[in-house]
Structures are given as structure tokens and as C-alpha cells.
Amino acid sequence: MKSFPKKLEQKLADRTANNALRQLREQSELVDFSSNDYLGFSKNEIIFNEAHQFLIEQNVKQNGATGSRLLSGNHKLFKIVEEQLCAFHNCEASLIFNSGYDANIGFFSCVPQRGDVILFDEFIHASIRDGIAMSHAKSYKFKHNDLIDLEKRCQAERSRSPQDAIIYIATESVFSMDGDSPDLFAMVDLCKSHNAFLVVDEAHAGGVFGTSGVGMVQHLNLETAIFARIVTFGKAMGCHGAAILGSETLRQYLLNFSRSFIYTTALPPHSLATIHSAYNNLFETKNIQALHKNIAYFKSELVQNNLQDIFIESNSAIHCCVISGNDKVKSIAKRLQEQGFDVKAILSPTVPKGQERLRFCLHSYNSPEEISKVLHLLATFAI
């Protein structure tokens, strides 16, 4: 057997030298400031028990889907949950994918066509970038949340592209590595001016914003102005999977041409039952209210500890403290972990060099005492 390729060995060596080598670690028992489980749904016993009861009521005694949805895997829970999603998210149609990653690569690899143009925020999620890379459309990034730069890009593309070329604009309603949000009202107006189609990833807004956690787009009453929304179930919903929301025609197109939907085994019944139960539990809003109370308290404690200038402004559950350098940010994260707080360092190349950061994810179950203590420690270590 040949030895491991030298080029690949060198890439690992480079990561090690830059103190950026990724490794798997077991889940810790530290105070959680790192997971996406914003509402505590992943450990919610009511949801767990309701999902099991729902399977019994539907007489579903099946562990796996048995195949792709276009072959043998389209069990009856898909129709139930997709109709539930349409009602909850006020959309004409929905199509469930196995993950947010699958949804994004499935959409962007097949919807934009050769000759079309994709304009995407420079901080867009890696799954969208990967989908764009698989597309035959041209693609250009615009400066993060910069509407002036986006306007210039649209004008340039409209002046040089064929009249039948379609412009797709891709953004997130809450950015996963910054916690900030774009001006969606202005983006909708810009799309109308340039006859462009807006696509919004709602991964970190669902369960957090709007009545019963409907997401940022619905919170702003913009759902009818958006070509496609991507909602995921692995963050605030505490389970697994994702869905693309849009028109019935978009749904039909995706199930015919989206390779990450067509060529994969479908989600098993238990996953669908958990999604169903999680959505039902969003109508009990005490967890959402507790989360927003903690967000407000966290922001007030930033001021109390004179930390606001090194944090990116955010009203979401994600708050990021920029500390330049992989070595430094990893060192501070380790010291916080040694004090019992699970705060993760986000390193380059995941974020641009010089923009390394500590990422604090807030939850409904964090206590005020935990928030106060971790920020006091951060002020001691970082200032």
C-alpha cells in the first residue's frame, strides 16, 4: 500500500503549524455557551416523548426510510410535516432535505443556470459557497451587509448580462459567525429594482425571532417577497434536517433536479416525528422569552464589563468577541473552559485571518449568574 500523499500531509502540517488543526472532542459537561441548542429542545423530554407517541398514533414502526424519497423512502410522515411547515411558515410549498448543508448545495447547484448570476454576501455559510461552486452560473461576492456594494454589483451585472439572465442574491437572516443581520427590507426593494431573486438562509433565526419563533423573514412580514427560504432543524429546533420553502413550482423543480435530494436515503420516521413535535412546542413561548431575556442581560453585562467594543453588535443568540490570532484566542478559550465554561474559539481559515473570535451562543437555560461570571472572566483574561 502506498504511503499517504505528500501534498495532503503538508496541508495537515500547515494546519498544525498555524495552530488551526481541527479535532473531534467528546461532549463536555461544562456550562454551555457553544451549542446551537438555543431553546434547549435537543434535551426536552416532552418533545422526546411526544415524538414517540406520534409514531405510535401514526402506526409507524419503522427504523429507517429504506431508500430515497423518489424510490421507497417517501413515508407518510413527510406529507404531514411538510404541510405543517407550510402552515407555520406561511408558504405555498416546502421540501424537506436531510440537513441544511444538503438543502443549500441542492438549491444552489441546480437552480441558477448557465448565464445566470449569483451575488452572495462575503460571509455566507460554507454550504452555500459549496453549492455555488457546483453551479454553472457566474458568482460574485459583495461586502458583508453592504447594500451600496450590492447595488453596484447588480447594476454592473444588468449592464453586461443578457436580458434573460437571472440574478440571485444570497444572504442569511442571522450570520452564523457574526450574529448580525442584513437590512432585509432594503434587500427586497433592491431585488425589485433589479428584477433579482432573493434567497435567505434562516438557520439561526428560526425559533429565535418572530411570534412562536417563525424566523426573521416572517417577523418582518417579507415571506411573499422571498424566492426561497432555507430553514433548518438542527439549531433551535433541537433535532435534524432542513427544508426549502417557496412556491409549488420551486418544489417540483427541486425534486426533479436537486441531486442532494434525489440521490440520498430519506430521513427516517423518527426524525420527522421529532421535527413535528418540536414545531408543536414552539407555540409554548416560555423558552423563546427566556432566551431573549438572556440576550438582553448578556448585552447589558458587556457594558458592565467594558467589553462592548470588542464584540460584534448582535440582537441574536450569537455574540462574537474578536480576538486576533489563533494562538491568543485558543488560549483564552482554554482558560474559560478550565473555569467551567464551554466557549469555543473560531479560528482562521474558518474566519478571515485577523478576525479570529470567541463565539458565545446563548440559550434559554443559561442563568444570569453564568452569564455574569463568564463575561467577568473574559474581561480579566482579554483586556
Side-chain angles (χ1 to χ4, degrees):
M1 181 177 177
K2 292 184 178 180
S3 61
F4 197 71
K6 294 294 184 185
K7 290 180 181 179
L8 305 187
E9 280 188 345
Q10 186 58 52
K11 292 186 77 170
L12 285 172
D14 291 343
R15 279 284 170 91
T16 302
N18 292 324
N19 201 8
L21 187 69
R22 295 184 176 99
Q23 293 178 309
L24 291 173
R25 292 180 173 85
E26 291 186 7
Q27 289 183 329
S28 72
E29 297 300 319
L30 304 179
V31 177
D32 183 7
F33 283 104
S34 70
S35 81
N36 295 323
D37 188 23
Y38 304 130
L39 302 178
F41 276 15
S42 75
K43 302 179 181 68
N44 187 299
E45 290 187 17
I46 293 174
I47 292 173
F48 182 88
N49 292 330
E50 284 183 355
H52 180 69
Q53 184 61 35
F54 179 65
L55 291 172
I56 293 173
E57 291 170 357
Q58 294 296 321
N59 194 30
V60 175
K61 300 176 182 179
Q62 184 177 325
N63 294 320
T66 76
S68 75
R69 287 184 67 182
L70 290 167
L71 294 177
S72 60
N74 194 38
H75 51 79
K76 65 180 181 179
L77 299 193
F78 278 107
K79 185 175 188 294
I80 294 172
V81 176
E82 286 176 341
E83 289 179 349
Q84 178 187 26
L85 294 175
C86 289
F88 186 89
H89 287 294
N90 190 28
C91 61
E92 183 180 344
S94 67
L95 187 65
I96 290 175
F97 285 72
N98 284 13
S99 69
Y101 188 93
D102 283 334
N104 276 327
I105 62 170
F107 179 92
F108 286 96
S109 64
C110 80
V111 172
Q113 301 294 293
R114 192 180 304 277
D116 293 341
V117 176
I118 307 168
L119 302 177
F120 62 95
D121 191 290
E122 64 179 333
F123 290 172
I124 206 75
H125 193 266
S127 58
I128 295 178
R129 282 181 173 267
D130 288 352
I132 290 171
M134 297 166 68
S135 170
H136 295 297
K138 295 181 292 182
S139 60
Y140 306 96
K141 64 184 177 183
F142 60 90
K143 294 177 183 177
H144 179 53
N145 286 341
D146 190 328
L147 288 163
I148 295 175
D149 190 44
L150 177 57
E151 175 80 34
K152 289 178 181 177
R153 297 281 182 182
C154 286
Q155 290 173 346
E157 290 309 312
R158 276 289 171 241
S159 67
R160 69 187 178 201
S161 297
Q163 288 301 310
D164 61 346
I166 295 172
I167 296 176
Y168 295 91
I169 296 175
T171 191
E172 300 177 36
S173 54
V174 174
F175 281 85
S176 60
M177 288 298 135
D178 289 67
D180 58 355
S181 298
D183 184 342
L184 289 176
F185 286 118
M187 293 190 85
V188 165
D189 289 341
L190 188 149
C191 287
K192 290 178 181 176
S193 297
H194 294 281
N195 194 25
F197 291 85
L198 184 58
V199 183
V200 181
D201 187 324
E202 289 256 77
H204 293 276
V208 178
F209 290 99
T211 304
S212 299
V214 292
M216 183 73 77
V217 169
Q218 276 174 270
H219 178 54
L220 301 176
N221 295 313
L222 291 174
E223 56 266 39
T224 59
I226 308 298
F227 179 64
R229 283 178 280 164
I230 294 90
V231 295
T232 62
F233 313 131
K235 277 75 175 178
M237 305 309 295
C239 37
H240 192 69
I244 296 177
L245 313 178
S247 67
E248 179 59 35
T249 307
L250 174 61
R251 184 181 189 274
Q252 289 298 318
Y253 182 86
L254 290 169
L255 67 86
N256 276 277
F257 294 100
S258 178
R259 295 170 70 85
S260 63
F261 174 85
I262 297 167
Y263 298 109
T264 191
T265 300
L267 286 175
H270 189 271
S271 291
L272 274 294
T274 307
I275 295 166
H276 183 268
S277 178
Y279 266 86
N280 283 339
N281 277 269
L282 281 178
F283 292 105
E284 170 51 70
T285 60
K286 63 180 181 181
N287 294 67
I288 300 173
Q289 293 168 355
L291 171 62
H292 281 278
K293 186 176 180 180
N294 281 342
I295 292 170
Y297 185 72
F298 186 93
K299 295 184 71 171
S300 71
E301 285 295 285
L302 291 183
V303 176
Q304 286 294 319
N305 288 278
N306 198 31
L307 290 167
Q308 67 271 23
D309 290 342
I310 58 174
F311 271 78
I312 298 169
E313 177 62 28
S314 169
N315 293 312
S316 74
I318 301 168
H319 292 261
C320 295
C321 174
V322 177
I323 300 172
S324 181
N326 282 350
D327 291 343
K328 185 174 182 181
V329 75
K330 284 184 75 172
S331 173
I332 295 175
K334 183 180 179 184
R335 294 179 72 182
L336 291 173
Q337 291 160 13
E338 289 171 347
Q339 294 295 318
F341 296 96
D342 189 14
V343 179
K344 292 294 194 298
I346 308 298
L347 312 175
S348 59
T350 299
V351 292
K353 191 172 180 62
Q355 293 291 307
E356 296 84 5
R357 64 199 58 185
L358 295 174
R359 182 172 181 260
F360 290 80
C361 293
L362 305 181
H363 312 90
S364 60
Y365 49 83
N366 290 133
S367 70
E369 293 76 18
E370 291 167 348
I371 292 171
S372 295
K373 185 173 181 180
V374 75
L375 290 179
H376 175 74
L377 289 168
L378 176 63
T380 303
F381 299 153
I383 296 179

